[in-house]
Amino acid sequence: MASTTTPSSTTAPSSSTTAGRKAAGPPTPGRRKAISLTTTPTWAWALPPVLILALGFLYPLALVVRQSFTPESPGETTTGASLTPYTEVFASTAFREALTTTVWLAVGATVGCLVLGFVLALVIAFVPFPGGKAVARFIDVFLSFPSFLITLALLFIYGSVGMANGAWTGVTGAAEGPFHFLTTPWGVLLAEITYFTPFVMRPLLAAFSQLDTAQLEVASSLGAGPLRIVRQVILPEALPALAAGGSLVLVLCLNEFGIVLFTGAKGVTTLPMLVYSKAILESDYPAACVVAVVNIVLSVGLYSLYRVVSRRAGA
């Protein structure tokens, strides 16, 4: 009697298993690369940016700090560290005047930018006028302008041979015009306020865009006037943005060099200008490094304050 045999189920793979293997296929190169990236130590990825930062910033900064503790006499160089450069610089009248000028210009420019920026941001955000959106976009473009460009524009208008003085002499026949304030501290202050005001307006416009207009409508319906609405409704909402923008402007004004240089204000010496004078004009590198270290300490302190204010403001 003939018997029939059926093939065992274990001798031939099922079609579903074969299809699954074909679908899986060999590991792709991209998959192998992802696995190799995850197995790379974390410190290996942090090493390149740390080396770039160390060589490009920390090493030159260390040289400046070391030079500030190295006094130099004419014709010889002492290798020992000393506080002599610091005592000499701190005792000099030029340093004290430069520090005072730097602080009052930075504070004055910050106050002016806060007041002017708040008023202009109010007009752009809440007063409808043709071209308002274009003006708001121009604020972003203005932030990319270099500071010396704004100073040159003011020189073309209010300089000794600028448009304003030219128009005055043309009308009156006088030998010279009356506008000579650009070479004074007030000219530097005007240039800094003009240039840095958009740095206050930008966070203010962002804050105003998130303000609930229903609050303004309710306040107006209750009989509140425009000034009261600004003081009791808008200003409290704008305080974080004002604090963040003002802190940023204060840091930038403290380190501003181009505006002071291009205005040609000979009687205005700030800390960056004193560094330039000591290093380039007098070749007194230890004194220049001392002033630079003081400027760095002030800048880092103010920047830390700016970061704290920005975090609290949610910027």
Side-chain angles (χ1 to χ4, degrees), residues 173-199:
E176 61 180 11
F179 304 104
H180 302 286
F181 62 89
L182 279 183
T183 57
T184 67
W186 300 109
V188 177
L189 188 63
L190 173 64
E192 290 187 349
I193 292 175
T194 303
Y195 178 70
F196 289 113
T197 294
F199 288 83

Side-chain angles (χ1 to χ4, degrees), residues 4-30:
T4 60
T5 60
T6 59
S8 174
S9 59
T10 59
T11 58
S14 63
S15 60
S16 60
T17 305
T18 305
R21 291 178 180 177
K22 290 182 180 180
T28 60

Side-chain angles (χ1 to χ4, degrees), residues 290-309:
V290 169
V291 179
V293 169
V294 173
N295 204 0
I296 290 171
V297 171
L298 291 176
S299 301
V300 171
L302 288 176
Y303 178 74
S304 301
L305 176 63
Y306 164 70
R307 293 296 300 172
V308 171
V309 173

